[in-house]
Amino acid sequence: MDELQLLRSFGKNVADPSVDALSRGRRGLVEHIGLQPAIAKPNSKKRFAFFGGTTALAAGALVATLVFTDVLGLAGWRGGADAAAASALSDAAAAAIENSDPVVGPGQYLKIDTEAVFTGGVQTAEWEHFAYLGTQDSQMYIPADDADDWVLVTEPRAAIKVFGEGFEEEAQESARAGFEEEQISRAPYGSFDNSKPRDWRLDDLPRDPQQLLNYIYRVTAGHGVSADGQAFDFISTTLRTGVVPAELRAALYLAAAGIPGVEITDEAATLNGRTGVAFGREEKDGFLHEIIIDPETGLLIGERTVQLFDSKMDLVFAGEVVGWTAVTTTVVDAAPAGGSLCGNGGEPVNGFGSGQCSDPNRPRTD
Amino acid sequence: MTSDNEIIRRSWDNPAVFAEMYDRHATSVYRYAARRAGVDTADDIMAETFLVAFERRNRFDSAFESALPWLLGIATVLIRKQRGSEARFLRAVVASGPPAMVVENHDDRLDADLSIRALAGAIRKLPARDRDALLLYAWGDLDYEGVALALNIPVGTVRSRLNRARRVLRLSAGIAPAKEVDRGRTSTAPIVR
């Protein structure tokens, strides 16, 4: 018996986790996930440490209250976006407010058309790695009344760029697997895939830009690579839902103007045929994250991520756009018919729970 | 079956689907943690690993279909943070032998028992980075590529760390160096479509 076999035999007899521990862990995860649909939940311990310094400067209940209501916070203490970016974001915010949102009348739908490209990767049977850019396009129809069916159309996928010679066929296969055909799902309250009712919790967000940015720093504290990067990511993730009303969009632009490191990274960035100004922030992990805004209308065109280093495992080199999302929001009179309930034939996704999305009385809140 | 990287990608927009990662890999994470830090700590490591993974899901390198190496990498960091429990566990093995062993022959068992105690002592003294590489390989059932991914280091570095750790173990357990044989281990990644 060599040392490895010995070591393995030592580890061999470990039992599986108890059913109790397994379900406890799962419950914890599901609860954790449920607490944060689009918004990261703050880690209470880290948040405490985070604000420990601030409150110590002027201890007292008043300051604590001001922090908690986001009147005071991290925003503005360490500067903000560079001057040109801040000024352009402020113009975009003004444009957003001038161009009011379309109104969804009774029987109509808000249609969110999302064209997304992501980097997928495959390891072949011969241990070779390659990466590809794959599409992930969808349209979501949100009814005027949340209790009516929401409709999600998922387009067939395809690989549009392959990093690595001779892998074109495998890339297409990988991109299409499970998404060969258009799929239509419907679910009241947007509970697709048996998820909880779709709620972006936009009402929780302060409309004052300074308070909004404090709020964002507070709820994202302790997450991500850096506090500023995570705050920018929050803004980008919220915007790309396509459901953000004009006044909140304007506040988010102004909040972005308060984040150090944000600058104009492309004066004429084209995404999906539309051209706008890219505001980006370079993160320590080697990615440039950008939001692209149409300066005329203040509408978000989309977001994209640029890799700034050469990958070790595949042929993705610095400067490559490794993902983007273009979002268009319109009001339409009808949504496609047919499709499966819950996006899953009404069956629970993981074998837990039961057809929740078919229950019209399911509460919206967690 | 939808690959892990696809599910993680989907969870960006629909966080609920991330629970699938738990259903697929919780047991593997538990077993790895139990081997390294004992069953008492393993429950917590298992649960915590997925909370951390969920928070970091947009950092997952989607070029890899299986998320297991990544998850075991997170578990490794969590175990390292609780260094106390791993050290306690190894000390207990050194003192009174392994909690359970699978060896057919009685004489072999006694030999193995003694050797394991020596091994546990040696593992305890390994530099943390060599220990992590060795135990991800032996107890996490990852291949070199998987270990590289879990620890975010090049494959060549994995190879040299494993060689170093195995040499130390051989010496401590009094095992004569075997000829290096490629055991043809298969990938744990459920790839190949």
Side-chain angles (χ1 to χ4, degrees):
Chain A
M1 214 187 245
D2 76 3
E3 70 284 356
L4 260 186
Q5 290 168 308
L6 195 57
L7 204 53
R8 290 220 167 92
S9 69
F10 173 21
K12 212 169 183 174
N13 227 19
V14 166
D16 284 344
S18 66
V19 174
D20 190 39
L22 259 185
S23 59
R24 199 169 50 237
R26 193 177 199 284
R27 212 161 43 235
L29 176 65
V30 169
E31 263 169 29
H32 184 77
I33 292 171
L35 286 170
Q36 40 189 351
I39 298 165
K41 176 178 172 275
N43 175 324
S44 56
K45 271 187 205 153
K46 284 193 180 155
R47 184 174 61 187
F48 181 76
F50 199 66
F51 285 101
T54 316
T55 45
L57 286 176
L62 176 62
V63 172
T65 309
L66 290 176
V67 168
F68 192 70
T69 54
D70 300 312
V71 173
L72 286 183
L74 204 57
W77 288 48
R78 299 158 303 122
D82 89 348
S87 154
L89 280 165
S90 160
D91 291 348
I97 290 171
E98 274 169 32
N99 291 273
S100 54
D101 295 314
V103 178
V104 185
Q108 289 186 310
Y109 295 84
L110 191 68
K111 178 186 177 190
I112 297 148
D113 198 328
T114 305
E115 306 219 358
V117 163
F118 68 100
T119 308
V122 180
Q123 185 184 330
T124 69
E126 286 76 43
W127 292 95
E128 292 169 304
H129 293 110
F130 68 90
Y132 63 88
L133 291 182
T135 59
Q136 193 172 359
D137 300 345
S138 64
Q139 296 94 42
M140 175 140 50
Y141 296 81
I142 304 178
D145 181 349
D146 281 346
D148 291 339
D149 276 359
W150 297 36
V151 179
L152 179 65
V153 180
T154 314
E155 306 266 344
R157 295 192 185 170
I160 53 170
K161 179 169 184 178
V162 183
F163 304 101
E165 293 267 313
F167 293 113
E168 282 72 15
E169 211 170 297
E170 281 177 282
Q172 289 301 347
E173 238 176 75
S174 170
R176 287 191 194 128
F179 299 92
E180 292 88 355
E181 287 167 17
E182 181 187 271
Q183 291 167 11
I184 300 178
S185 321
R186 39 201 327 118
Y189 301 107
S191 307
F192 301 108
D193 291 338
N194 278 353
S195 62
K196 295 201 171 165
R198 197 64 72 99
D199 183 358
W200 289 276
R201 300 197 179 188
L202 301 180
D203 294 342
D204 292 357
L205 303 181
R207 264 47 177 180
D208 173 79
Q210 172 95 5
Q211 283 184 35
L212 175 59
L213 187 54
N214 281 335
Y215 172 93
I216 294 170
Y217 276 125
R218 182 163 62 80
V219 298
T220 59
H223 298 287
V225 178
S226 72
D228 293 328
Q230 196 66 11
F232 190 70
D233 181 66
F234 180 102
I235 290 171
S236 155
T237 306
T238 306
L239 287 169
R240 79 169 182 194
T241 58
V243 296
V244 180
E247 22 97 54
L248 179 56
R249 207 159 60 233
L252 285 165
Y253 293 165
L254 292 172
I259 299 177
V262 173
E263 50 190 20
I264 293 178
T265 43
D266 194 345
E267 293 276 3
T270 301
L271 202 57
N272 212 20
R274 295 159 71 198
T275 302
V277 179
F279 300 90
R281 190 174 179 287
E282 205 177 305
E283 187 52 270
K284 290 197 285 262
D285 62 2
F287 290 95
L288 169 67
H289 302 278
E290 297 176 312
I291 53 176
I292 299 167
I293 300 171
D294 180 341
E296 303 298 319
T297 60
L299 284 172
L300 177 84
I301 294 176
E303 51 91 25
R304 72 181 176 190
T305 304
V306 182
Q307 183 170 315
L308 301 174
F309 59 92
D310 296 343
S311 285
K312 278 179 282 194
M313 301 303 233
D314 48 45
L315 295 170
V316 182
F317 297 114
E320 199 70 54
V321 175
V322 289
W324 52 262
T325 312
V327 187
T328 315
T329 305
T330 49
V331 172
V332 295
D333 292 330
S340 64
L341 187 62
C342 301
N344 198 32
E347 290 298 316
V349 174
N350 297 318
F352 287 79
S354 63
Q356 297 158 324
C357 89
S358 54
D359 177 5
N361 298 318
R362 192 152 178 258
R364 284 208 62 166
T365 49
D366 298 313
Chain B
M1 188 167 74
T2 314
S3 60
D4 290 353
N5 57 356
E6 197 50 65
I7 287 174
I8 290 172
R9 171 76 198 182
R10 273 169 55 191
S11 76
W12 296 10
D13 287 316
N14 184 359
V17 302
F18 194 83
E20 171 79 4
M21 284 297 103
Y22 186 92
D23 299 334
R24 288 185 184 188
H25 298 304
T27 299
S28 301
V29 171
Y30 173 90
R31 291 172 67 92
Y32 169 70
R35 284 163 182 157
R36 283 198 67 168
V39 288
D40 294 342
T41 318
D43 285 351
D44 290 341
I45 301 277
M46 171 179 72
E48 180 82 19
T49 295
F50 288 89
L51 297 183
V52 173
F54 174 75
E55 290 299 333
R56 296 196 188 152
R57 67 196 188 282
N58 59 351
R59 307 263 169 244
F60 175 70
D61 186 344
S62 67
F64 297 88
E65 300 221 342
S66 170
L68 186 59
W70 175 63
L71 291 167
L72 293 184
I74 293 172
T76 300
V77 173
L78 295 174
I79 291 168
R80 215 183 281 158
K81 278 186 183 164
Q82 301 209 2
R83 199 183 295 272
S85 52
E86 181 172 32
R88 260 196 310 282
F89 179 62
L90 287 170
R91 268 201 302 275
V93 175
V94 173
S96 44
M101 288 250 337
V102 189
V103 180
E104 302 293 323
N105 182 299
H106 181 72
D107 288 343
D108 272 6
R109 198 202 136 78
L110 285 181
D111 277 0
D113 201 89
L114 279 175
S115 307
I116 286 279
R117 290 163 72 165
L119 277 192
I123 292 170
R124 192 155 65 93
K125 288 184 195 133
L126 282 176
R129 49 190 195 166
D130 291 357
R131 181 168 56 233
D132 288 342
L134 176 73
L135 298 183
L136 279 166
Y137 183 68
W139 290 345
D141 277 325
L142 298 180
D143 46 70
Y144 283 16
E145 298 262 18
V147 177
L149 183 62
L151 297 176
N152 201 16
I153 53 176
V155 177
T157 311
V158 173
R159 202 167 288 127
S160 61
R161 285 186 190 177
L162 280 174
N163 284 342
R164 201 162 49 217
R166 290 184 62 176
R167 198 162 51 238
V168 172
L169 255 53
R170 268 201 301 274
L171 287 173
S172 68
I175 297 170
K179 274 189 185 156
E180 288 295 326
V181 185
D182 181 1
R183 281 169 225 291
R185 304 199 57 214
T186 47
S187 163
T188 50
I191 318 142
V192 192
R193 301 199 272 232

